[in-house]
Amino acid sequence: DLVTHQMEIIPGMWRPMFGSEQVAWISPPWESQEYVWFDFPETIWIDGNVTYLGHIDKRFPTAFPKIKSALWQKIKNGISYKELLPNGISFGGEIIKKKENIASLKLWITNGSKKELKEVMLLTCVYLDPIKEFNEETNNNKYVHIRNKGWMPFDKAVEQDTIKEGFRVGWLKGGKLVSDLPVVVTKSKTENHLLGFTWFDDTFSFVGNPEHPCVHADPIFDNLTPGESQTINGELIFFEGSIEEFEIMFRERIKNRK
């Protein structure tokens, strides 16, 4: 019998020396033996400070460098986890196969501390190096949508005029507000394959790293008073077709959410 290929979502590992990385592996629904590696999240910034960091980086010392990654739990059609930090802040997430080509994403944060949490920003990194069709060492394969102009790679997008409301291209608050759709699309090298990544209205910025091929749709949370909690939802979308066909599908998904 022929084996029907399908998306797989499993607990993964990136760098074994960093025991705090919360990584999932997600395979595309088409024939492939490779996975994207999803750092979920890579970093949690609160009021300009790094509260959680999955790896070690001397530029960004974290409040709790010895924390270990939480165990992934198997749930229906996916995996989930929850983490409690020493300061009482807890967070967690889940990744579920929503459709054959769509992984539904959920992240939540609860403020169990005594202080208000302000400017709660996360880095959510999809590492592309392990999946050869998406791992070009460039940002020219990563596209955002510009109103009245269509899809543009990052380098051309940042040359466009700033808009009043939308989504940034670049590093968090340093990014330029230019995109009118909350999704970044990475194009395959050889196939008519696309990878979309979104946090819908909670998307804040898009960024990529050419030398360390990855793509981010990085979300922002509301300020959270003590005891308050918030959940955000996103999607990782594997798509076969043109980027214009992807846009039609994505706009329909936005419409159906409202």
Side-chain angles (χ1 to χ4, degrees), residues 23 35 81 95 101 163 188 192 221 224 244:
V23 174
Y35 294 76
Y81 76 94
I95 308 172
N101 66 318
I163 58 179
S188 170
N192 206 19
F221 281 71
L224 298 173
E244 290 77 20

Side-chain angles (χ1 to χ4, degrees), residues 42-61:
E42 178 182 356
T43 315
I44 300 176
W45 297 77
I46 298 176
D47 203 13
N49 298 309
V50 177
T51 297
Y52 167 84
L53 178 63
H55 49 84
I56 296 172
D57 191 325
K58 292 180 180 179
R59 298 171 299 170
F60 307 110

Side-chain angles (χ1 to χ4, degrees), residues 7 55 79 83 88 100 102 110 131 150 161 173 175 193 202 215 218 226-227 252-253:
M7 178 192 294
H55 49 84
I79 55 178
E83 180 75 84
E100 287 306 309
I102 297 177
T110 298
I131 186 164
D161 293 336
K173 292 191 294 183
H193 292 166
D202 297 303
V215 63
D218 291 324
E252 193 66 27
R253 294 197 69 74

Side-chain angles (χ1 to χ4, degrees), residues 111-241:
N111 183 6
S113 75
K114 297 180 180 179
K115 296 181 179 180
E116 183 179 9
L117 308 184
K118 299 179 180 179
E119 282 195 357
V120 182
M121 298 181 177
L122 275 62
L123 302 185
T124 49
C125 172
V126 174
Y127 186 47
L128 300 171
D129 195 49
I131 186 164
K132 294 182 179 63
E133 65 175 301
F134 291 112
N135 73 354
E136 282 188 286
E137 294 185 358
T138 180
N139 275 338
N140 290 329
N141 64 343
K142 300 169 184 75
Y143 287 71
V144 293
H145 191 270
I146 307 298
R147 182 178 290 115
N148 298 326
K149 294 185 179 181
W151 295 91
M152 293 186 184
F154 281 179
D155 60 343
K156 291 185 179 179
V158 296
E159 296 174 354
Q160 305 307 305
D161 293 336
T162 300
I163 58 179
K164 290 183 179 180
E165 292 185 6
F167 308 93
R168 299 171 186 269
V169 175
W171 177 258
L172 297 176
K173 292 191 294 183
K176 189 173 181 182
L177 200 65
V178 291
S179 178
D180 68 331
L181 281 179
V183 65
V184 57
V185 178
T186 304
K187 286 188 175 184
S188 170
K189 295 176 188 177
T190 57
E191 301 285 349
N192 206 19
H193 292 166
L194 304 172
L195 175 62
F197 185 15
T198 180
W199 288 103
F200 295 105
D201 290 343
D202 297 303
T203 305
F204 186 76
S205 59
F206 306 113
V207 70
N209 186 340
E211 291 78 23
H212 177 84
C214 68
V215 63
H216 287 228
D218 291 324
I220 187 169
F221 281 71
D222 297 335
N223 291 352
L224 298 173
T225 57
E228 198 171 11
S229 182
Q230 185 186 356
T231 298
I232 65 172
N233 294 279
E235 291 180 347
L236 199 65
I237 305 169
F238 292 96
F239 188 83
E240 296 183 75

Side-chain angles (χ1 to χ4, degrees), residues 69-116:
S69 61
L71 290 176
W72 285 101
Q73 305 293 325
K74 286 192 175 182
I75 57 176
K76 185 178 180 181
N77 296 325
I79 55 178
S80 70
Y81 76 94
K82 55 183 178 181
E83 180 75 84
L84 175 64
L85 299 178
N87 61 359
I89 297 171
S90 58
F91 65 95
E94 65 178 39
I95 308 172
I96 294 174
K97 183 175 11 175
K98 189 169 187 175
K99 291 190 172 185
E100 287 306 309
N101 66 318
I102 297 177
S104 174
L105 314 173
K106 180 183 290 186
L107 280 171
W108 58 266
I109 295 178
T110 298
N111 183 6
S113 75
K114 297 180 180 179
K115 296 181 179 180
E116 183 179 9

